[in-house]
Amino acid sequence: MSRASQNHGRIPLNAKMLAQIIAHAPRRVGQLMTSEVVTLRPDERLRQAIELLAQNPFRHLLVAATDGRIAGVISDRDVLRAKAGCDAETTLVCDVMTSEPLTVQPDTPLSDAVSMALDYRVNCFPVLDPAGKICGILTTTDLMHAFQKLLLGIDQLPETDRNIRNPDHS
């Protein structure tokens, strides 16, 4: 008799716990993104970006056009590179930012965002609403926090329960 028939089709408690952990894991960008986004205008001075990055814990700033659409992204690395050869008082954000960044929408699967981050080696995505306006930001740090939470849930399972096998392949 197979294990499946011995268990009468029931999932062992440990598998139920794992299923609950997975069921509560975020799956879409909108579940993980930061909605309160600090933006700059393309015509602001590099000094503004430097000050914002120095005063806050984030490493990316979105650059927004006056209509709320994405104009670019500026990272702490962009600022460091620019500081080496530019005057922060006269250089504009638009001269340093990455124009036409890769973007996602709130309903984009997180697996797609992870693939894009790996394939294109980017660390943040402006999140755009269906009208193309900025509604958030998703960073690789956000993705790592979600992964950490998932792993912490798995770590709560007893060691012997982590290697759950398919009962039909015992």
Side-chain angles (χ1 to χ4, degrees):
M1 187 182 319
S2 76
R3 280 174 100 181
S5 58
Q6 287 174 341
N7 291 335
H8 304 288
R10 285 181 269 153
I11 299 173
L13 179 59
N14 52 29
K16 283 185 182 179
M17 291 169 57
L18 183 58
Q20 287 179 342
I21 292 166
I22 292 169
H24 289 94
R27 288 179 163 58
R28 303 277 174 198
V29 166
Q31 295 172 283
L32 208 56
M33 71 182 193
T34 300
S35 299
E36 294 180 27
V37 180
V38 175
T39 62
L40 291 169
R41 292 184 323 271
D43 62 346
E44 289 188 77
R45 305 285 178 211
L46 180 60
R47 168 66 51 213
Q48 289 299 113
I50 293 168
E51 289 173 6
L52 282 170
L53 290 168
Q55 296 167 1
N56 293 285
F58 41 78
R59 300 177 313 189
H60 301 90
L61 295 165
L62 300 185
V63 182
T66 55
D67 64 358
R69 295 182 186 277
I70 190 74
V73 172
I74 188 165
S75 72
D76 55 353
R77 286 180 285 178
D78 295 329
V79 168
L80 286 173
R81 277 191 295 271
K83 277 178 63 173
C86 299
D87 177 7
E89 299 299 331
T90 59
T91 301
L92 300 178
V93 167
C94 63
D95 296 328
V96 177
M97 71 183 190
T98 299
S99 300
E100 300 180 25
L102 293 173
T103 63
V104 292
Q105 294 188 328
D107 64 348
T108 300
L110 286 174
S111 58
D112 289 355
V114 169
S115 294
M116 290 170 58
L118 292 170
D119 291 346
Y120 296 100
R121 300 186 65 179
V122 296
N123 292 309
C124 85
F125 298 100
V127 183
L128 308 182
D129 67 17
K133 296 195 177 184
I134 298 169
C135 64
I137 186 170
L138 179 73
T139 68
T140 52
T141 300
D142 298 324
L143 295 168
M144 291 301 292
H145 282 296
F147 184 57
Q148 178 188 37
K149 187 175 179 181
L150 182 63
L151 289 177
L152 289 172
I154 292 169
D155 286 346
Q156 299 304 309
L157 295 172
E159 189 72 33
T160 57
D161 295 344
R162 293 185 197 158
N163 296 322
I164 300 170
R165 294 184 181 144
N166 183 337
D168 294 332
H169 293 97
S170 5

